Amino acid sequence: MAAGRARTLGLATRGTTAPNRLRRVDRWIVGTQAARLRAAASPLVVDLGYGSSPVTTVELYQRLSRLRPDVRVVGLEIDRDRVAAAAPAARPPGLVFARGGFELAGLRPVLVRAMNVLRQYEEAAVAPAWAALLERIAPGGLLVEGTCDEIGRRACWFAVDRPPEASSEVPGAPGGPVGTPRPRRQGRTLTLAAHLPSLARPSELAERLPKSLIAHNVPGEDVHTLLAAFDDAWRRGAPRAVFGPRQRWTAAVESLRADGWPVRGTRPRWRLGEVTFAWPPVRADADVTVTAPGGRGGHDG
């Protein structure tokens, strides 16, 4: 990551965007993070790297304002020309645009959406970028980072919690005397989402994996094992295709869960063509320990 004259961290992206490109991730945010946003004392959300047009930031604001009418969405871009071009779309104080990068322009948001940003970096830059963002997100906040295709039919993203500040509410914390503050463990999930009528098999989503995973889609790696298992479950669910692709996808997800994969959520979300996994994927039949953003696990699938 490069620091500019104003200590703006990051590099300008290609800027490709389109209306509704991020509708799947926005739907997931609205559907699964409503409680987080409603509980926030200051419902500030940052859309990082919105690109050559502010349209997806405007859409994010419209969708979130239905949950919290007082939500504030800030679109951040490193490119000054893009910030200037977005100004007419601003609706202050709820929706504004500013120059900024991984330093988040000094803001402390409860949620950061960073889609199609790290895709253009080297894999080695992912962990430092996550660290920089999580350091600046408000305690108890969330980072949503991933990739989608040009029209939003295929999307994959990580959701990474920033734990609340350590508290002394839990006495006798491991590693210290009674009363030692114990920080909560960071939570992380991976979500796969697709337009089901155009999906031939789940592994087609591999092209849109987050940057930290895409090079790991090779035998022996967790993400490769997951996608192979998903394809197998998809094949086994073929008889359900007569009832439509939603039924087939749901059957495949249920099969994965029955096989021990850490599937989150319930059928209503699966019917939308999405599925969320705890990540790293600690299988019910295996002991896996992974610490890096795209790290490899120890199960043999």
Side-chain angles (χ1 to χ4, degrees), residues 82-128:
R82 293 175 186 173
V83 177
R91 304 176 191 176
L95 173 63
V96 297
F97 298 90
R99 186 168 183 264
F102 295 119
E103 84 300 331
L104 299 183
L107 301 172
R108 296 283 279 175
V110 69
L111 188 145
V112 172
R113 186 184 73 175
M115 292 295 290
N116 303 302
V117 174
L118 292 175
R119 177 80 172 190
Q120 300 174 54
Y121 285 74
E122 296 296 326
E123 184 183 345
V126 174

Side-chain angles (χ1 to χ4, degrees), residues 161-187:
D161 282 302
R162 173 172 178 176
E165 299 290 3
S167 69
S168 57
E169 296 178 359
V170 182
V178 173
T180 300
R182 183 175 68 179
R184 288 182 56 181
R185 183 179 180 183
Q186 182 187 84

Side-chain angles (χ1 to χ4, degrees), residues 105-164:
L107 301 172
R108 296 283 279 175
V110 69
L111 188 145
V112 172
R113 186 184 73 175
M115 292 295 290
N116 303 302
V117 174
L118 292 175
R119 177 80 172 190
Q120 300 174 54
Y121 285 74
E122 296 296 326
E123 184 183 345
V126 174
W130 276 22
L133 291 168
L134 289 169
E135 180 182 0
R136 292 161 174 83
I137 290 173
L142 187 75
L143 167 64
V144 179
E145 185 272 310
T147 305
C148 70
D149 66 2
E150 289 74 11
I151 57 174
R153 287 193 165 191
R154 308 277 190 274
C156 305
W157 61 87
F158 278 118
V160 189
D161 282 302
R162 173 172 178 176

Side-chain angles (χ1 to χ4, degrees), residues 55-286:
V55 62
T56 53
T57 308
V58 173
E59 291 169 347
L60 178 64
Y61 171 69
Q62 292 171 338
R63 290 158 179 159
L64 295 186
S65 63
R66 296 172 192 145
L67 294 176
R68 285 284 303 253
D70 60 338
V71 70
R72 292 180 297 136
V73 175
V74 179
L76 291 183
E77 257 292 344
I78 288 179
D79 189 306
R80 295 181 186 275
D81 291 340
R82 293 175 186 173
V83 177
R91 304 176 191 176
L95 173 63
V96 297
F97 298 90
R99 186 168 183 264
F102 295 119
E103 84 300 331
L104 299 183
L107 301 172
R108 296 283 279 175
V110 69
L111 188 145
V112 172
R113 186 184 73 175
M115 292 295 290
N116 303 302
V117 174
L118 292 175
R119 177 80 172 190
Q120 300 174 54
Y121 285 74
E122 296 296 326
E123 184 183 345
V126 174
W130 276 22
L133 291 168
L134 289 169
E135 180 182 0
R136 292 161 174 83
I137 290 173
L142 187 75
L143 167 64
V144 179
E145 185 272 310
T147 305
C148 70
D149 66 2
E150 289 74 11
I151 57 174
R153 287 193 165 191
R154 308 277 190 274
C156 305
W157 61 87
F158 278 118
V160 189
D161 282 302
R162 173 172 178 176
E165 299 290 3
S167 69
S168 57
E169 296 178 359
V170 182
V178 173
T180 300
R182 183 175 68 179
R184 288 182 56 181
R185 183 179 180 183
Q186 182 187 84
R188 188 190 313 163
T189 62
L190 174 69
T191 298
L192 311 179
H195 174 255
L196 296 182
S198 63
L199 187 73
R201 58 186 181 279
S203 60
E204 289 181 346
L205 286 158
E207 295 181 354
R208 302 300 165 179
L209 288 169
K211 184 65 178 187
S212 62
L213 287 182
I214 194 163
H216 294 270
N217 186 29
V218 294
E221 297 280 359
D222 280 322
V223 69
H224 183 274
T225 304
L226 170 60
L227 291 176
F230 209 164
D231 277 356
D232 182 60
W234 180 257
R235 285 190 293 270
R236 286 184 277 126
R240 299 280 288 275
V242 67
F243 301 109
R246 287 185 178 184
Q247 289 292 331
R248 185 176 184 179
W249 174 274
T250 300
V253 172
E254 290 175 336
S255 181
L256 286 175
R257 186 172 63 175
D259 289 342
W261 289 94
V263 174
R264 298 282 183 88
T266 57
R267 287 176 61 91
R269 298 227 61 86
W270 306 337
R271 285 178 52 81
L272 296 174
E274 68 179 47
V275 59
T276 297
F277 301 91
W279 202 266
V282 180
R283 293 276 299 280
D285 59 352

Side-chain angles (χ1 to χ4, degrees), residues 31-58:
T32 68
Q33 303 303 312
R36 189 190 303 263
L37 289 167
R38 288 177 175 138
S42 177
L44 173 62
V45 175
V46 165
D47 185 25
L48 181 63
Y50 55 83
S52 59
S53 165
V55 62
T56 53
T57 308
V58 173

